[in-house]
Amino acid sequence: MSNFKRNIIVTGGAGFIGSHVVRHLVNKYSDYRIINVDALTYAGNLANLKDIEQYSNYTFVKADICDFDIIRRLFSDYSVDGVIHLAAESHVDRSIKDPFTFARTNVMGTISLLEAARQQWQSEGNSFNNKLFYHISTDEVYGALELDSPDGDAPYGSEFFTEDTRYNPHSPYSASKASSDHFVRAYHDTYGLPTIISNCSNNYGPYQFPEKLIPLFINNICKGISLPVYGKGENVRDWLFVEDHAKAIDLIFHEGRVGDTYNIGGFNEWKNIDLIKLLIKIVDRKLGRPDGASDHLIKYVTDRAGHDLRYAIDSSKLANELSWHPSLQFEDGLEKTVNWYLNNNDWIEGVTSGEYRQYYTEMYGSEE
Ligand code: NAD
Ligand code: DAU
């Protein structure tokens, strides 16, 4: 019998968003046991959780979510009553080169977790009481929006993704996430498994692997390496500080309606090239370089295949029903993020050695 009020598996807790979710839950709920299940792929890093690794309500288990026998055993060994599922292959560019890995982890891994939860919770024979399988998904499943008729609050177009927007994924990554969302809903509709899904926009903040736009470009600006802007830099993304996402996940896990979907976003759209110019300004200022010193690093390169033009999330359901609002202005979040990368050189050096160098060269050629 567990001494904890709840026993919650967080998958992918050693990754970027997962580590913020784990830290938030471990600090806030001392009566919950948080079991971080992570395979520690290139994107998983236990250094992300150094500050909480000794806490008595935190447990780490190195496991692949696709390994059904191990996952099934974890559910019974730890009397798991909740799952917050973040483990995934998450980078669009990698999915274009290696779609099989994305199908395996994102689709088969999700089914493995759903089935382990169903078997364990049904074996307890109490109609799934007080159980929840919460699946973390992305706005990319909705496809892409046009750039059109700007107005005040929506500078790049009037349309937004809502919870009712029809799925229309374009990349192997988003197709695999869409498929996993469908499986989660299928388990709810077929077996009555208590599930919730949230679909979030682009996250940024500390501990993000430097293959994604913001950490990659901060690192490159610092080192004077060119900044590969895909296409004309006109694509638009809706950015949210990662700790605001972690707080939204906590709120939805505790107060969301079972069987429902929630969109999470910052109402914070930026054209890539404008964001990149702002980032250059901030990093140069912090490094004591003259304004514009790193502008020459911008290098327009061949566009990403199937590059979605615009993402924009309508998160008013979450605001209206659960009173969630992002806490940080983007400029403040970006300052905080740049400060973190400048002050955590060891972390950057740790994750950019070894395999990263090979990835970088295959992806972008030389560092010039
Ligand atoms: P990430 O790539 O930083 O971390 C993924 C984590 O999953 C890593 O720790 C990795 O080791 C682990 N993992 C991968 N394969 C695994 C497997 N087979 N078994 C166990 N663990 C495995 O990803 P992230 O950016 O933190 O994203 C987390 C989740 O949030 C993903 O599901 C992603 O689709 C979703 N999401 C991300 C964003 C974003 O902007 N990053 C936005 C919306 C939704
Ligand atoms: O919208 C949510 C999604 O956001 C998450 O589901 C994904 O896991 C996450 O990776 C992110 O996907 P994006 O493809 O939007 O993020 P990325 O950081 O890869 O790219 C952001 C934008 O910047 C995109 O328009 C592509 C562009 N870009 C990216 C890189 C890495 C460049 O121009 N150059 C680059 O080198």
Side-chain angles (χ1 to χ4, degrees), residues 30-327:
S30 56
D31 51 350
Y32 289 10
R33 172 155 56 190
I34 305 301
I35 306 136
N36 172 11
V37 177
D38 198 298
L40 300 182
T41 68
Y42 79 93
N45 187 354
L46 289 178
N48 298 3
L49 290 165
K50 263 259 162 294
D51 53 327
I52 57 117
E53 68 185 4
Q54 302 298 340
Y55 284 32
S56 55
N57 64 334
Y58 170 70
T59 302
F60 172 68
V61 179
K62 184 171 190 291
D64 182 339
I65 54 168
C66 301
D67 192 334
F68 176 72
D69 292 340
I70 290 178
I71 296 298
R72 176 68 185 85
R73 209 168 325 121
L74 286 177
F75 271 78
S76 84
D77 286 354
Y78 287 102
S79 307
V80 171
D81 53 50
V83 178
I84 304 179
H85 174 36
L86 296 108
E89 290 292 336
S90 68
H91 191 38
V92 174
D93 292 325
R94 288 187 191 249
S95 82
I96 294 168
K97 287 183 185 298
D98 177 18
F100 281 117
T101 303
F102 282 69
R104 178 183 180 276
T105 293
N106 299 358
V107 185
M108 295 303 288
T110 300
I111 300 172
S112 160
L113 284 159
L114 286 163
E115 185 56 17
R118 178 183 82 81
Q119 288 188 12
Q120 176 61 29
W121 295 344
Q122 280 186 335
S123 77
E124 295 172 13
N126 56 4
S127 320
F128 299 128
N129 282 346
N130 303 316
K131 307 287 195 282
L132 183 62
F133 189 107
Y134 177 13
H135 177 61
I136 308 303
S137 192
T138 171
D139 60 359
E140 300 202 10
V141 298
Y142 297 125
L145 297 166
E146 295 298 321
L147 295 179
D148 64 34
S149 54
D151 74 38
D153 288 339
Y156 298 110
S158 48
E159 253 195 291
F160 285 83
F161 297 135
T162 73
E163 287 81 359
D164 296 324
T165 301
R166 195 187 157 99
Y167 276 29
N168 186 20
H170 297 125
S171 72
Y173 163 67
S174 52
S176 68
K177 289 297 289 187
S179 173
S180 65
D181 292 10
H182 289 318
F183 270 99
V184 174
R185 291 199 178 93
Y187 265 71
H188 174 267
D189 295 350
T190 306
Y191 306 108
L193 194 80
T195 61
I196 295 183
I197 299 176
S198 58
N199 298 82
C200 190
S201 63
N202 286 61
N203 284 216
Y204 70 99
Y207 299 111
Q208 187 168 31
F209 194 79
E211 62 186 351
K212 308 281 166 62
L213 181 75
I214 290 181
L216 174 72
F217 279 31
I218 293 174
N219 190 37
N220 284 14
I221 298 165
C222 289
K223 296 186 171 139
I225 299 169
S226 65
L227 307 173
V229 180
Y230 297 162
K232 295 183 177 150
E234 289 192 329
N235 304 66
V236 170
R237 296 292 182 266
D238 174 1
W239 294 93
L240 181 68
F241 191 62
V242 62
E243 288 175 11
D244 279 328
H245 189 190
K247 286 180 198 157
I249 288 172
D250 173 9
L251 185 66
I252 292 168
F253 182 78
H254 287 95
E255 293 179 33
R257 209 176 306 113
V258 168
D260 224 336
T261 298
Y262 296 87
N263 278 355
I264 311 174
F267 284 113
N268 177 41
E269 292 178 62
W270 281 76
K271 210 170 248 205
N272 287 344
I273 192 63
D274 296 337
L275 163 54
I276 290 160
K277 286 182 177 162
L278 174 60
L279 207 52
I280 292 174
K281 225 180 196 9
I282 296 175
V283 177
D284 277 348
R285 171 166 47 78
K286 288 189 185 291
L287 292 177
R289 296 175 183 162
D291 196 24
S294 300
D295 288 352
H296 71 282
L297 294 175
I298 290 177
K299 182 172 153 196
Y300 292 94
V301 300
T302 309
D303 208 354
R304 172 186 278 173
H307 197 173
D308 288 333
L309 189 53
R310 170 175 171 248
Y311 301 146
I313 273 275
D314 179 348
S315 56
S316 48
K317 174 176 170 181
L318 187 57
N320 296 336
E321 293 187 10
L322 300 183
S323 302
W324 176 87
H325 301 280
S327 67

